[in-house]
């Protein structure tokens, strides 16, 4: 009847949205990448050209990593506790999360680095605006394989 239609089945209504448990504030521009370190810390990358390491219990920023000279658009956490960051500056940087220092910079992409993924054995895959993927060895600082070509658009 009309009354049932007006009020509907209450069990089908969406539940109210709850408030966030913690809000991390500190970047001056858009946040475009996140990666959990696995020890209660979180990394964030931003168009402000920085990577921040956050304590997810307190909400405090423990470190701000600087070194990219354009937008940070990709992050991935490596098994050894380091973080890889990719940027529109066409580089991938590998960061020591304890010291905040950049351990190495990988160069070779001709476009913006838009995606990163740890693939094991100290290797990182990077995707690029120019539709390519490279596999890097973080020990030798070299591209392990020929550049992988085949996508018809950006690799994100």
């Amino acid at each position: 009847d009309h009354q049932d239609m007006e009020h509907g089945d209450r069990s089908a209504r969406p539940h109210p949205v709850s408030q966030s448990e913690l809000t991390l504030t500190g970047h001056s521009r858009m946040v475009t990448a996140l990666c959990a370190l696995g020890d209660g810390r979180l990394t964030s990358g931003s168009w402000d050209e920085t990577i921040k390491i956050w304590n997810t219990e307190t909400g405090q920023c423990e470190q701000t990593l600087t070194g990219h000279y354009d937008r940070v658009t990709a992050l991935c956490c490596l098994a050894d506790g380091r973080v890889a960051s990719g940027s529109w500056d066409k580089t991938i940087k590998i960061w020591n999360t304890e010291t905040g220092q950049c351990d190495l910079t990988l160069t070779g992409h001709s476009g913006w680095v838009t995606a990163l993924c740890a693939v094991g054995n100290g290797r990182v895959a990077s995707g690029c605006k120019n539709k390519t993927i490279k596999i890097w060895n973080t020990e030798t600082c070299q591209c392990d394989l020929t550049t992988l070509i085949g996508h018809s658009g950006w690799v994100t």
Side-chain angles (χ1 to χ4, degrees):
D1 70 345
H2 177 66
Q3 185 176 9
D4 288 340
M5 289 178 62
E6 182 177 297
H7 296 288
D9 178 4
R10 291 191 188 274
S11 65
R13 289 189 180 172
H15 296 288
V17 177
S18 64
Q19 296 294 316
S20 67
E21 186 176 309
L22 193 61
T23 300
L24 308 176
T25 305
H27 284 290
S28 62
R29 297 191 67 197
M30 181 169 57
V31 173
T32 52
L34 296 171
C35 181
L37 285 167
D39 60 0
R41 296 183 301 161
L42 177 76
T43 59
S44 59
S46 169
W47 280 19
D48 67 8
E49 304 173 10
T50 69
I51 298 106
K52 292 189 180 287
I53 300 177
W54 304 90
N55 179 314
T56 59
E57 295 296 318
T58 66
Q60 296 299 307
C61 177
E62 294 180 348
Q63 293 183 68
T64 299
L65 313 179
T66 59
H68 284 293
Y69 62 86
D70 208 334
R71 300 167 182 180
V72 176
T73 52
L75 292 172
C76 79
C77 297
L78 306 179
D80 63 7
R82 296 184 298 171
V83 170
S85 61
S87 170
W88 280 18
D89 65 11
K90 304 176 188 175
T91 69
I92 299 144
K93 293 187 179 291
I94 309 296
W95 303 90
N96 180 316
T97 58
E98 297 305 318
T99 66
Q101 298 300 307
C102 178
D103 286 346
L104 57 110
T105 300
L106 305 171
T107 60
H109 276 295
S110 62
W112 303 333
V113 178
T114 53
L116 289 173
C117 178
V119 293
N121 297 325
R123 298 182 316 150
V124 175
S126 60
C128 181
K129 177 187 180 257
N130 70 358
K131 310 172 196 168
T132 64
I133 299 168
K134 291 182 182 287
I135 310 292
W136 303 89
N137 184 318
T138 61
E139 300 304 318
T140 64
C141 304
Q142 299 294 313
C143 183
D144 266 359
L145 301 170
T146 305
T147 299
L148 306 175
I149 300 169
H151 285 281
S152 59
W154 294 20
V155 178
T156 60

